[in-house]
Amino acid sequence: MPGHFHNPVATCFGSGSLQHLRTLTEARTVALVTFAEARSLGLVDRVKHLLGERLVYIIEDVQPNPDVAQLRGTYERFWAEAGDCDMVIALGGGSAIDTAKALIVGTASGQFDELLGLLALGESFVPVRSKALIAVPTTAGTGSEVTPWATLWDTGQQKKYSLHLPCTWPVAAIVDPDLMLTVPAGVTVSTGLDALSHALEAIWNVNANPLSDTFAVSAIEDILDCLPSLRADLGCKVLRGRMALAALKAGMAFSNTKTALAHSISYEMTLRHGVPHGIACSFSLPLVLGLAWGRDRGRDQVLQRVFGDDLGQAQARLRGFLHGLGVKTEFADYGVPEAEARAMIASALQGARGKNFIGAQAA
Ligand SMILES: [Fe+2]
């Protein structure tokens, strides 16, 4: 097990921490990347108030699961119209942060297809220009604020691109649970389950280390305890704070391990069956727990810190937790027949994320 843990993101956490944007952007010019409802929620005005004339450009039409068809125009406009700005602030869920990560990686031509060509090679590269990124999540789930990873979708071609470069680590993350108070129940659940998946995937992972385990176990305990209560009391500041911290801890965990089999399965479930990310990467957790259990004594011990030493009970607890949140746990529930499910798992194990799974060799 590697003993090295690295995370370069300066993180501000807590109620009211949005105000740190003012000091973090001092003497810089800034572009804001956010989601369509941010303006009606008053978030664009709050950022304008904090930044004043430093805010020189706003992109406010980020779509869920950023797709290359839409990103192309946004990217090329951004570099043509705001190429001189110093920083980008991503304010929103995983889609806003992932979109911003794509935008900050500049190509020589300013053309988006040049970036896609580089990503298609699957190798690291040094971009000719880039921007500093500050990530401000408005959901408790993505973890993208403390990782360099971004997923870009090409639904037309039924494929996805994974972006991660040294420059796509945010320089700073601001995790302010007050920004999450208006998130509706469905998104609260799906994003919370994304965080649960990040934490579990960091444990059944060949890249796990003692520090990622510490973050992951703590995140799982918090989410199992807190998410059902939060779903029943969406305006509770204490519970929003606990879930925000849990999602941040899960993000810290997988910032060092990447995700594994459940996420690898999720990509096909999202592309082929339109299942939202948080559900697509969590419905299979009881199944993947069963595939992970017994593969590695050290990994079992970490899982048993949360679930005890009986696999059947552990899976039943996880299944019951998901069902209690209204999430179905079988492939058939999503219209995927058994043969297709088996093929999907086999193919997911061969994917980049699937290979991080501790059972990838033997499964
Ligand atoms: Fe995820």
Side-chain angles (χ1 to χ4, degrees):
M1 178 193 284
H4 179 78
F5 186 92
H6 171 73
N7 191 299
V9 184
T11 303
C12 309
F13 177 84
S15 170
S17 56
L18 183 67
Q19 65 178 338
H20 290 296
L21 269 186
R22 203 192 294 265
T23 43
L24 286 168
T25 58
E26 203 131 42
R28 315 288 290 273
T29 52
V30 179
L32 173 66
V33 176
T34 193
F35 56 110
E37 298 80 17
R39 187 173 286 273
S40 61
L41 290 168
L43 293 174
V44 173
D45 281 345
R46 285 186 67 189
V47 173
K48 274 185 181 170
H49 177 72
L50 284 166
L51 268 54
E53 289 183 355
R54 296 173 203 167
L55 182 61
V56 295
Y57 197 74
I58 303 177
I59 295 166
E60 52 187 314
D61 58 353
V62 165
Q63 305 294 316
N65 298 339
D67 195 285
V68 297
Q70 192 234 356
L71 268 178
R72 184 172 288 107
T74 305
Y75 180 96
E76 290 172 7
R77 267 194 306 280
F78 168 73
W79 281 99
E81 296 170 6
D84 290 341
C85 76
D86 301 315
M87 295 188 110
V88 171
I89 295 173
L91 174 72
S95 299
I97 300 175
D98 282 11
T99 295
K101 284 178 180 171
L103 293 181
I104 63 170
V105 181
T107 54
S109 62
Q111 302 294 305
F112 184 67
D113 285 343
E114 187 182 340
L115 175 60
L116 281 189
L118 291 164
L119 295 179
L121 296 174
E123 292 164 12
S124 191
F125 61 92
V126 180
V128 292
R129 47 191 175 157
S130 64
K131 312 279 181 198
L133 173 66
I134 298 175
V136 187
T138 57
T139 59
T142 170
S144 189
E145 69 276 12
V146 287
T147 81
W149 333 120
T151 302
L152 311 180
W153 303 84
D154 185 344
T155 41
Q157 297 294 318
Q158 290 275 291
K159 64 179 182 180
K160 69 167 193 74
Y161 296 87
S162 186
L163 167 65
H164 55 97
L165 297 170
C167 71
T168 54
W169 283 101
V171 294
I174 296 177
V175 182
D176 184 343
D178 292 357
L179 302 176
M180 302 164 190
L181 281 165
T182 55
V183 179
V187 178
T188 299
V189 167
S190 64
T191 52
L193 293 178
D194 188 22
L196 177 65
S197 186
H198 294 156
L200 281 163
E201 298 253 87
I203 296 175
W204 52 56
N205 197 303
V206 295
N207 303 311
N209 66 60
L211 273 161
S212 63
D213 285 346
T214 303
F215 282 120
V217 167
S218 179
I220 295 164
E221 287 171 338
D222 286 351
I223 294 165
L224 292 178
D225 185 50
C226 165
L227 189 54
S229 311
L230 175 57
R231 185 198 190 207
D233 188 5
L234 295 169
C236 177
K237 279 186 136 192
V238 173
L239 291 171
R240 285 288 184 193
R242 284 188 64 200
M243 264 310 295
L245 184 56
L248 176 59
K249 286 186 281 196
M252 292 297 283
F254 93 104
S255 74
N256 274 240
T257 63
K258 304 183 186 172
T259 53
L261 181 56
H263 272 71
S264 195
I265 291 169
S266 84
Y267 298 132
E268 286 204 46
M269 291 296 283
T270 297
L271 275 172
R272 279 208 232 152
H273 298 276
V275 182
H277 178 69
I279 306 301
C281 70
S282 61
F283 85 98
S284 67
L285 291 175
L287 169 85
V288 179
L289 177 65
L291 295 174
W293 201 278
R295 300 281 177 211
D296 179 291
R297 193 155 173 268
R299 300 295 83 211
D300 283 354
Q301 285 170 346
V302 178
L303 291 168
Q304 288 166 7
R305 278 159 58 187
V306 179
F307 292 108
D309 58 8
D310 184 296
L311 172 60
Q313 283 181 12
Q315 286 178 297
R317 182 176 175 200
L318 210 40
R319 239 179 239 117
F321 177 77
L322 290 160
H323 291 168
L325 292 168
V327 176
K328 303 219 165 83
T329 51
E330 308 306 319
F331 278 96
D333 297 324
Y334 298 89
V336 180
E338 200 181 325
E340 187 187 338
R342 268 202 305 274
M344 201 185 286
I345 294 167
S347 143
L349 282 163
Q350 298 307 312
R353 297 297 188 247
K355 286 178 180 162
N356 296 329
F357 179 58
I358 51 167
Q361 306 302 322

